[in-house]
């Protein structure tokens, strides 16, 4: 059942985001976001880590303040605009996350067979070859496989899966697995059922520490790039898990290596 009326409707949430009806009773978006995910869990949503919404404030002694919010499925959003207080930064992050959570419930956000066919066709066209040729020996076949695995799920759920493979590609893990003769389907099948957890982050951090031994300063350079990408994505109001995970992994690696960052 779609939430089309009352405080859960996309129109109502949008009005809250843009400050509509300031004289009216205002929604407590932090509480509403938590209740939204608790309701999804109560209705049978598969949430491996429970329904807890996690907030993370960026350390700062003076405004503007920045806050990130991670949803139970793993999607991440950040505060938008200039926030003069830490409380406002938290509310701002919650607004963006709640709007996306509600919008994600719409039928158009479901992965359907029609969507899969269109997405694969677009990806094949971008690859520059015929569809069958593009799916053989390239990442298009793996892309289709991931979409099929996500049939019936929402776009946010699919994005959470894609984030894992974005990180594996960025980290060089996919290349290493190809060199070990692992097929794309085998890799996708394995990581489709593995959560992005502290163990995976630690392993990726160790990979970057090893690279630092070969290319001194690479962690600092990559961390600066990751921080810039994260800030640009936050200011654009986009989903942030991939750039934030990169930053967190590199920060962990940097803390193990030590020394000042360029």
């Amino acid at each position: 059942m779609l939430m089309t009326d009352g405080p859960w409707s996309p129109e109502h949430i949008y009005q809250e985001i843009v400050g509509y009806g300031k004289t009216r009773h205002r929604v407590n978006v932090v509480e509403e976001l938590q209740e939204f995910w608790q309701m999804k869990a109560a209705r049978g949503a598969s949430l491996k880590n429970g329904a807890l919404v996690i907030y993370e404030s960026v350390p700062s002694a003076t405004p503007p303040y920045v806050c990130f919010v991670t949803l139970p499925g793993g999607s991440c959003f950040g505060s938008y605009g200039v926030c003069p207080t830490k409380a406002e930064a938290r509310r701002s992050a919650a607004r963006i996350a709640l709007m996306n959570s509600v919008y994600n419930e719409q039928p158009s956000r479901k992965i359907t067979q029609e969507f899969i066919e269109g997405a694969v066709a677009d990806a094949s066209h971008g690859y520059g070859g015929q569809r069958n040729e593009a799916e053989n020996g390239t990442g298009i076949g793996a892309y289709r496989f991931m979409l099929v695995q996500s049939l019936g799920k929402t776009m946010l759920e699919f994005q959470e899966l894609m984030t894992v493979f974005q990180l594996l590609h960025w980290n060089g893990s996919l290349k290493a697995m190809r060199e070990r003769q692992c097929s794309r389907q085998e890799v996708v099948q394995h990581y489709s059922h593995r959560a992005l957890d502290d163990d995976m982050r630690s392993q990726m951090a160790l990979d970057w520490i090893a690279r630092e031994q070969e290319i001194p300063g690479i962690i600092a350079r990559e961390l600066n790039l990751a921080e810039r990408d994260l800030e640009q994505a936050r200011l654009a109001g986009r989903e942030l898990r991939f750039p934030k995970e990169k930053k967190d992994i590199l920060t962990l690696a940097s803390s193990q290596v030590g020394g000042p960052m360029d």
Side-chain angles (χ1 to χ4, degrees), residues 30-175:
V30 173
E31 291 182 4
E32 295 286 358
L33 180 61
Q34 184 61 65
E35 290 175 6
F36 175 92
W37 284 94
Q38 288 174 341
M39 181 183 65
K40 280 184 67 68
R43 291 182 176 181
S46 178
L47 304 174
K48 296 179 181 179
N49 298 317
L52 183 63
V53 174
I54 300 173
Y55 292 88
E56 179 185 342
S57 295
V58 176
S60 176
T62 58
Y65 296 99
V66 173
C67 182
F68 297 104
V69 56
T70 300
L71 300 178
S75 296
C76 179
F77 298 93
S79 52
Y80 186 80
V82 177
C83 299
T85 67
K86 293 180 180 179
E88 178 54 35
R90 174 177 283 219
R91 287 192 294 269
S92 176
R95 288 188 189 102
I96 300 296
L98 183 54
M99 180 65 184
N100 279 276
S101 296
V102 172
Y103 180 60
N104 195 54
E105 296 296 309
Q106 304 305 303
S108 61
R109 301 292 290 172
K110 293 284 187 179
I111 302 290
T112 63
Q113 191 62 47
E114 182 181 6
F115 173 83
I116 292 173
E117 295 302 324
V120 172
D122 289 343
S124 300
H125 178 73
Y127 174 73
Q130 296 295 322
R131 179 162 167 174
N132 290 338
E133 294 176 358
E135 289 194 36
N136 294 323
T138 73
I140 304 298
Y143 179 52
R144 166 184 275 280
F145 186 82
M146 283 189 285
L147 283 168
V148 171
Q149 291 288 98
S150 300
L151 187 65
K153 295 183 179 180
T154 66
M155 295 294 184
L156 273 184
E157 289 173 316
F158 178 64
Q159 179 59 47
E160 290 156 8
L161 173 62
M162 283 295 293
T163 298
V164 174
F165 291 95
Q166 285 177 297
L167 287 169
L168 291 171
H169 174 73
W170 162 76
N171 191 61
S173 301
L174 289 182
K175 180 180 179 182

Side-chain angles (χ1 to χ4, degrees), residues 170-189:
W170 162 76
N171 191 61
S173 301
L174 289 182
K175 180 180 179 182
M177 284 183 274
R178 284 199 302 271
E179 291 173 351
R180 293 198 297 269
Q181 306 301 312
C182 297
S183 72
R184 289 185 176 87
Q185 280 71 20
E186 288 174 335
V187 173
V188 171
Q189 185 67 39

